Amino acid sequence: MQRLILCAWLLVAGGAAWGQAVVPKPAAASSATAPTLADLKKQFESAMRDTQRANREALKTLRQVYSDSLSKLQADLQAAGEMQSVLAVRDEKARFEQTGEIPAAALVTEPAALRKAQDDWNTSCQQAPVAQAQKLVGLSEKYMQQLSLLQKSLTARNDQEGLKAVNDETERLLGNNVIREALALAKAAKPVTPEKTATNTATPPVKPEPVKPTTTTPTKAPEAKLVEVGEYKFYPAGKEPAAKDARDQRLEFPSAERRNTAYFYTLSVKIYVDKAKLHTNRHTNYDYITKEESGDLASIPRITLASRNKDIPEGCQLVVQYFSRQIARATDVREERVEHIKTPQIARGQALSVDGQGITLYKSDYRSSYGYRERSGREFCGLILSVFDPEGKLLIQQCTPSSLIKACTPGMAAEKDQENPGRRN
């Protein structure tokens, strides 16, 4: 299973997507003149787009490989007559095909082969953004060197206007958030080599006394516990209260470069609906039947925030933006509410789940056995999840569905209560 997933990743890694940074060569000019700033900029931006596009394709390949591995595992378990394990794999396959991710809350303990496949997937997905980050860093460093050479050439010709343009482009490069994130990711993933001790001929280094072997086990992430922050309760992933008919939502990143943050943190969300205030009336008159549903529906998100390779400090803000649309009119989308949830510290390797307050919307649905139907009201249609550190810097942001990507911004949305919940048209 592990070979299947990692071989697929290495196959992609061997191509332009994950290979060693390709040095963009200046386009051959008709004359012997050096490439212009416009030439270099065009080549650099094209190489960046190609890298990000290859990253998206590689992730699609990884998803397909994992899905295929589950199909094979299900067939093997079915042949062995292991009913319970077959059901577990079947449920995981259906969940994954809907969400495309494996959050901490979805990790299983049994069967062992399924857990191994999940761990292999997570390992591959952690390697992919690192490889992309290293590629982006390589392209950026080469571009910076080319700008430096062009700067020297313009200085020799005393081209002040050209020098100003190159200096402006260099500043833009150094301030590019995508490149800064790639640098941070590549640095965090780089193995730390021990510093060499400087030799001193006058004073030989003192040999440390041998340390007696101990029976201590390797340090593990502390077990997550229930934490209350204000009116919110954060449960260890997998130990939340039951939520009937909770449905996994597929979260999308607003841009390819933002996907790199998944190396450090992950988000997942389920939506469950409270129908306590929804009333159903059914009438039968000979062969004529009518059914009417009307009332308030509360859509509540259960959000899981996991720390992979970096602690989430105490005092971060989980911002939830809720959106609704008029029933039967998919284009009438509006923001209903913005909820701010202060988070506790989440240590590396931990995952905590919290329920948002959700939104309440009124609906009416009238149907008759003659085919007549009349619908009115509004319905929940998606949300944007953003996590900001205590200083207000965006750590991770995702949304569902993908149509909300255009509403994603790096700034923190102001808190907003839902106005007139229920009968609001």
Side-chain angles (χ1 to χ4, degrees):
M1 192 71 64
Q2 183 178 20
R3 288 181 179 179
L4 183 62
I5 294 179
L6 292 182
C7 284
W9 184 87
L10 291 172
L11 179 64
V12 180
W18 309 112
Q20 184 178 357
V22 179
V23 177
K25 297 180 180 180
S30 57
S31 63
T33 59
T36 65
L37 175 59
D39 294 332
L40 296 177
K41 184 177 179 180
K42 182 178 179 180
Q43 293 161 15
F44 171 68
E45 292 178 347
S46 176
M48 292 281 283
R49 286 194 299 271
D50 290 344
T51 299
Q52 293 168 352
R53 187 183 305 110
N55 178 58
R56 292 193 293 272
E57 293 301 319
L59 288 172
K60 288 181 182 178
T61 300
L62 287 177
R63 288 193 178 101
Q64 187 60 50
V65 169
Y66 177 67
S67 182
D68 292 345
S69 71
L70 293 184
S71 298
K72 183 179 184 304
L73 177 58
Q74 181 178 335
D76 293 343
L77 293 171
Q78 187 172 341
E82 300 181 19
M83 177 67 74
Q84 192 66 39
S85 297
V86 169
L87 288 173
V89 175
R90 179 175 173 273
D91 291 346
E92 165 61 8
K93 191 171 188 296
R95 185 205 63 77
F96 180 80
E97 288 178 351
Q98 182 179 4
T99 66
E101 304 290 344
I102 306 180
L107 294 175
V108 302
T109 55
E110 296 292 338
L114 175 56
R115 176 55 185 265
K116 186 175 185 301
Q118 291 179 322
D119 290 340
D120 292 345
W121 154 269
N122 281 326
T123 298
S124 300
C125 284
Q126 289 180 23
Q127 292 171 335
V130 173
Q132 187 202 21
Q134 292 169 342
K135 170 82 171 182
L136 295 179
V137 170
L139 291 172
S140 303
E141 289 176 342
K142 183 60 184 178
Y143 184 42
M144 186 170 59
Q145 290 175 335
Q146 292 176 321
L147 291 177
S148 179
L149 291 174
L150 180 58
Q151 189 179 42
K152 291 179 181 178
S153 174
L154 294 171
T155 301
R157 301 201 303 266
N158 195 26
D159 186 343
Q160 296 300 319
E161 184 177 351
L163 280 172
K164 183 180 184 305
V166 172
N167 289 336
D168 290 344
E169 177 62 11
T170 302
E171 288 300 315
R172 189 186 71 85
L173 176 68
L174 296 176
N176 189 306
N177 288 331
V178 175
I179 296 171
R180 284 178 173 270
E181 290 173 2
L183 282 168
L185 184 57
K187 181 179 179 181
K190 186 177 180 180
V192 180
T193 55
E195 296 182 0
K196 295 182 180 180
T197 306
T199 56
N200 189 327
T201 54
T203 307
V206 179
K207 291 184 178 181
E209 294 184 4
V211 179
K212 294 181 180 180
T214 62
T215 58
T216 56
T217 56
T219 303
K220 296 182 180 180
E223 183 179 355
K225 298 180 180 180
L226 173 65
V227 182
E228 293 190 35
V229 181
E231 58 184 313
Y232 296 95
K233 292 183 178 180
F234 290 80
Y235 294 90
K239 298 182 180 180
E240 312 91 338
K244 187 178 180 181
D245 298 328
R247 295 186 177 183
D248 288 301
Q249 306 295 305
R250 178 165 186 155
L251 291 173
E252 304 286 349
F253 286 91
S255 60
E257 57 269 18
R258 285 293 178 188
R259 187 177 293 275
N260 291 341
T261 58
Y263 179 77
F264 299 112
Y265 323 101
T266 58
L267 281 167
S268 61
V269 64
K270 298 179 179 181
I271 299 293
Y272 60 96
V273 179
D274 183 356
K275 299 181 180 180
K277 295 183 179 180
L278 182 67
H279 307 288
T280 302
N281 295 314
R282 184 185 181 93
H283 301 283
T284 303
N285 186 7
Y286 298 104
D287 62 341
Y288 183 73
I289 301 173
T290 63
K291 181 180 179 181
E292 182 180 9
E293 285 185 332
S294 61
D296 295 338
L297 286 178
S299 299
I300 303 168
R302 174 161 291 175
I303 306 160
T304 300
L305 177 57
S307 170
R308 277 189 171 180
N309 292 294
K310 185 182 290 186
D311 291 353
I312 298 175
E314 182 179 2
C316 288
Q317 291 282 353
L318 170 60
V319 178
V320 189
Q321 297 170 253
Y322 299 88
F323 292 83
S324 75
R325 66 184 174 197
Q326 190 170 350
I327 292 177
R329 287 184 58 188
T331 57
D332 181 28
V333 176
R334 70 184 179 206
E335 185 183 74
E336 290 285 350
R337 181 181 197 170
V338 180
E339 181 180 9
H340 285 202
I341 304 173
K342 186 171 289 188
T343 70
Q345 180 183 8
I346 304 178
R348 187 177 308 186
Q350 288 185 348
L352 294 177
S353 298
V354 61
D355 286 354
Q357 295 180 3
I359 57 173
T360 301
L361 300 166
Y362 177 81
K363 65 167 284 189
S364 176
D365 189 355
Y366 177 87
R367 286 176 284 183
S368 74
S369 56
Y370 290 153
Y372 176 77
R373 187 176 189 182
E374 182 179 347
R375 303 169 68 198
S376 62
R378 299 191 70 83
E379 61 185 353
F380 168 81
C381 71
L383 47 75
I384 298 175
L385 299 176
S386 310
V387 180
F388 297 86
D389 69 9
E391 284 72 43
K393 179 185 176 183
L394 180 63
L395 299 181
I396 185 171
Q397 184 179 68
Q398 290 183 269
C399 67
T400 183
S402 59
S403 58
L404 289 179
I405 286 177
K406 58 188 177 185
C408 295
T409 60
M412 186 184 300
E415 197 164 10
K416 181 175 74 173
D417 290 332
Q418 184 180 4
E419 298 178 1
N420 303 320
R423 291 179 180 270
R424 185 184 177 210
N425 296 319

